PDB file of all heavy atoms in Angstrom:
ATOM      1  N   ALA A 178      -5.182   7.671   0.159  1.00 91.00           N
ATOM      2  CA  ALA A 178      -5.373   6.827  -1.079  1.00 91.00           C
ATOM      3  C   ALA A 178      -6.609   5.880  -0.873  1.00 91.00           C
ATOM      4  O   ALA A 178      -7.091   5.816   0.241  1.00 91.00           O
ATOM      5  CB  ALA A 178      -4.161   6.003  -1.361  1.00 91.00           C
ATOM      6  N   THR A 179      -7.114   5.363  -1.902  1.00 90.00           N
ATOM      7  CA  THR A 179      -8.049   4.311  -1.821  1.00 90.00           C
ATOM      8  C   THR A 179      -7.585   3.196  -2.708  1.00 90.00           C
ATOM      9  O   THR A 179      -7.049   3.305  -3.735  1.00 90.00           O
ATOM     10  CB  THR A 179      -9.425   4.830  -2.381  1.00 90.00           C
ATOM     11  OG1 THR A 179      -9.833   5.986  -1.661  1.00 90.00           O
ATOM     12  CG2 THR A 179     -10.518   3.785  -2.261  1.00 90.00           C
ATOM     13  N   ILE A 180      -7.782   1.992  -2.086  1.00 90.00           N
ATOM     14  CA  ILE A 180      -7.335   0.732  -2.857  1.00 90.00           C
ATOM     15  C   ILE A 180      -8.548   0.023  -3.381  1.00 90.00           C
ATOM     16  O   ILE A 180      -9.511  -0.256  -2.642  1.00 90.00           O
ATOM     17  CB  ILE A 180      -6.535  -0.151  -1.898  1.00 90.00           C
ATOM     18  CG1 ILE A 180      -5.311   0.605  -1.410  1.00 90.00           C
ATOM     19  CG2 ILE A 180      -6.145  -1.480  -2.601  1.00 90.00           C
ATOM     20  CD1 ILE A 180      -4.373  -0.112  -0.512  1.00 90.00           C
ATOM     21  N   THR A 181      -8.544  -0.251  -4.703  1.00 87.00           N
ATOM     22  CA  THR A 181      -9.664  -0.972  -5.256  1.00 87.00           C
ATOM     23  C   THR A 181      -9.156  -2.237  -5.865  1.00 87.00           C
ATOM     24  O   THR A 181      -8.030  -2.419  -6.121  1.00 87.00           O
ATOM     25  CB  THR A 181     -10.262  -0.057  -6.423  1.00 87.00           C
ATOM     26  OG1 THR A 181      -9.348   0.172  -7.399  1.00 87.00           O
ATOM     27  CG2 THR A 181     -10.842   1.184  -5.840  1.00 87.00           C
ATOM     28  N   GLY A 182     -10.174  -3.112  -6.187  1.00 83.00           N
ATOM     29  CA  GLY A 182      -9.890  -4.361  -6.924  1.00 83.00           C
ATOM     30  C   GLY A 182      -9.488  -5.519  -6.011  1.00 83.00           C
ATOM     31  O   GLY A 182      -9.010  -6.489  -6.527  1.00 83.00           O
ATOM     32  N   THR A 183      -9.575  -5.369  -4.762  1.00 64.00           N
ATOM     33  CA  THR A 183      -9.056  -6.436  -3.836  1.00 64.00           C
ATOM     34  C   THR A 183     -10.208  -7.419  -3.635  1.00 64.00           C
ATOM     35  O   THR A 183     -11.028  -7.330  -2.739  1.00 64.00           O
ATOM     36  CB  THR A 183      -8.674  -5.826  -2.570  1.00 64.00           C
ATOM     37  OG1 THR A 183      -9.701  -4.975  -1.972  1.00 64.00           O
ATOM     38  CG2 THR A 183      -7.473  -5.003  -2.663  1.00 64.00           C
ATOM     39  N   SER A 184     -10.286  -8.428  -4.507  1.00 73.00           N
ATOM     40  CA  SER A 184     -11.206  -9.557  -4.337  1.00 73.00           C
ATOM     41  C   SER A 184     -10.992 -10.293  -3.157  1.00 73.00           C
ATOM     42  O   SER A 184     -11.869 -10.808  -2.505  1.00 73.00           O
ATOM     43  CB  SER A 184     -11.161 -10.436  -5.560  1.00 73.00           C
ATOM     44  OG  SER A 184      -9.874 -11.027  -5.686  1.00 73.00           O
ATOM     45  N   ILE A 185      -9.718 -10.359  -2.583  1.00 66.00           N
ATOM     46  CA  ILE A 185      -9.394 -11.088  -1.397  1.00 66.00           C
ATOM     47  C   ILE A 185     -10.001 -10.309  -0.234  1.00 66.00           C
ATOM     48  O   ILE A 185     -10.160 -11.001   0.849  1.00 66.00           O
ATOM     49  CB  ILE A 185      -7.816 -11.219  -1.264  1.00 66.00           C
ATOM     50  CG1 ILE A 185      -7.570 -12.305  -0.148  1.00 66.00           C
ATOM     51  CG2 ILE A 185      -7.217  -9.893  -0.894  1.00 66.00           C
ATOM     52  CD1 ILE A 185      -6.132 -12.687  -0.088  1.00 66.00           C
ATOM     53  N   GLN A 186     -10.434  -9.106  -0.316  1.00 68.00           N
ATOM     54  CA  GLN A 186     -11.056  -8.335   0.816  1.00 68.00           C
ATOM     55  C   GLN A 186     -12.209  -9.036   1.290  1.00 68.00           C
ATOM     56  O   GLN A 186     -12.498  -9.083   2.469  1.00 68.00           O
ATOM     57  CB  GLN A 186     -11.374  -6.954   0.288  1.00 68.00           C
ATOM     58  CG  GLN A 186     -12.239  -6.102   1.191  1.00 68.00           C
ATOM     59  CD  GLN A 186     -11.561  -5.741   2.487  1.00 68.00           C
ATOM     60  OE1 GLN A 186     -10.337  -5.805   2.597  1.00 68.00           O
ATOM     61  NE2 GLN A 186     -12.286  -5.139   3.393  1.00 68.00           N
ATOM     62  N   ARG A 187     -12.978  -9.765   0.430  1.00 73.00           N
ATOM     63  CA  ARG A 187     -14.125 -10.454   0.822  1.00 73.00           C
ATOM     64  C   ARG A 187     -13.831 -11.773   1.594  1.00 73.00           C
ATOM     65  O   ARG A 187     -14.470 -12.220   2.537  1.00 73.00           O
ATOM     66  CB  ARG A 187     -14.998 -10.839  -0.380  1.00 73.00           C
ATOM     67  CG  ARG A 187     -15.640  -9.618  -0.967  1.00 73.00           C
ATOM     68  CD  ARG A 187     -16.537 -10.042  -2.130  1.00 73.00           C
ATOM     69  NE  ARG A 187     -15.856 -10.587  -3.246  1.00 73.00           N
ATOM     70  CZ  ARG A 187     -15.305  -9.838  -4.250  1.00 73.00           C
ATOM     71  NH1 ARG A 187     -15.501  -8.514  -4.246  1.00 73.00           N
ATOM     72  NH2 ARG A 187     -14.698 -10.375  -5.263  1.00 73.00           N
ATOM     73  N   GLU A 188     -12.702 -12.352   1.242  1.00 71.00           N
ATOM     74  CA  GLU A 188     -12.276 -13.619   1.835  1.00 71.00           C
ATOM     75  C   GLU A 188     -11.496 -13.494   3.122  1.00 71.00           C
ATOM     76  O   GLU A 188     -11.695 -14.168   4.035  1.00 71.00           O
ATOM     77  CB  GLU A 188     -11.516 -14.427   0.828  1.00 71.00           C
ATOM     78  CG  GLU A 188     -12.232 -14.749  -0.438  1.00 71.00           C
ATOM     79  CD  GLU A 188     -11.315 -15.307  -1.530  1.00 71.00           C
ATOM     80  OE1 GLU A 188     -10.236 -15.763  -1.235  1.00 71.00           O
ATOM     81  OE2 GLU A 188     -11.722 -15.192  -2.732  1.00 71.00           O
TER      82      GLU A 188
END
Side-chain angles (χ1 to χ4, degrees):
T179 303
I180 298 177
T181 61
T183 53
S184 60
I185 196 169
Q186 170 70 7
R187 291 184 291 274
E188 299 167 23

